[in-house]
Amino acid sequence: LRRSEAATGRVLRSYTVHGADRYALADSAAARLLADFGVRAPASSVAEVTTRSLDAYRYYQDGLQMYARGLNGEALRLFESAVAADSAFAMAAYYGTLIAWRIEAYDRAIPLLSLAVRLAPRATDRERLTILALHAARTQSPAMRAIAETLATRYPDDAEGHLYAGTAAMFA
C-alpha cells in the first residue's frame, strides 16, 4: 500500500499489511494509515457495516450505476438481488426503498424500508442516520427533524442530511 501526494504523485510512505480475508486486510490498511495521522482505528471491523457477500456487493454496485443513470426498474431489481444474496445488507435495502417509492411500487418499498430500519444499527453512523431519516420522512414521524439535523450537523458535506432537514421543516 502506498500513500501518495495527490498533486505530484510523489510516494510519501509505503506499507505492508496482512489479513486473513479482504476485510481483515482493509482493517489492517486503515489502522496503518490512521496511525500515521495520529488517529485510533475503529474498534469494529469494516465487515460489520457492509456485506461479506461478493454477489450482494456486485448487485449493489451495479444497482447504484443503474440508479445514477435513471434506470429505476433495473436498479430496483439489482438492489433486491443484493438483499436476496445478503439479507443483512442495510444499504441495499435503503436504495431499493428509494427506488421502489419513486416508481410507486409500495408493495416492494415497505418491506425493504422495514428491513433497512431493522438493519440500521449495524450500519455506519451516517448510513444509520440516513436510513432513519428516510423512514421518518416516509412515516412523517415527529422524530424526523432531530434525525435530519443530526445527520446534517455530523455530515455537513452530505446533501441528504440537508434535504431531510428541509423536508422536516416543510412537514413542521
Side-chain angles (χ1 to χ4, degrees):
L1 177 67
R2 287 184 287 221
R3 184 167 54 100
S4 303
E5 188 173 80
T8 65
R10 181 174 65 96
V11 175
L12 301 173
R13 183 108 192 242
S14 295
Y15 308 87
T16 300
V17 294
H18 302 277
D21 59 27
R22 62 190 165 147
Y23 298 105
L25 192 60
D27 292 338
S28 177
R32 293 291 302 271
L33 287 169
L34 291 170
D36 268 2
F37 292 100
V39 177
R40 251 183 50 184
S44 60
S45 169
V46 69
E48 294 174 23
V49 295
T50 190
T51 182
R52 289 185 177 267
S53 166
L54 283 174
D55 288 337
Y57 193 72
R58 283 188 194 114
Y59 289 133
Y60 175 73
Q61 286 296 318
D62 291 347
L64 289 175
Q65 288 183 6
M66 296 299 115
Y67 176 64
R69 291 159 78 190
L71 300 172
N72 294 321
E74 182 62 18
L76 178 55
R77 185 190 68 73
L78 288 161
F79 289 127
E80 288 174 328
S81 294
V83 170
D86 180 357
S87 62
F89 196 176
M91 289 309 287
Y94 168 82
Y95 279 105
T97 301
L98 284 179
I99 293 166
W101 220 279
R102 178 181 291 160
I103 64 173
E104 300 180 1
Y106 305 118
D107 60 320
R108 294 160 78 182
I110 292 168
L112 285 168
L113 180 57
S114 295
L115 177 62
V117 169
R118 273 196 319 275
L119 297 173
R122 69 179 297 271
T124 66
D125 184 58
R126 187 191 68 74
E127 291 171 347
R128 178 184 61 80
L129 289 167
T130 301
I131 290 166
L132 295 178
L134 174 65
H135 180 259
R138 294 298 179 231
T139 60
Q140 295 190 0
S141 168
M144 182 178 178
R145 187 172 211 149
I147 294 166
E149 287 176 359
T150 302
L151 182 59
T153 300
R154 288 186 188 167
Y155 306 96
D157 293 335
D158 188 339
E160 281 180 302
H162 300 289
L163 174 65
Y164 285 124
T167 303
M170 282 183 8
F171 284 166

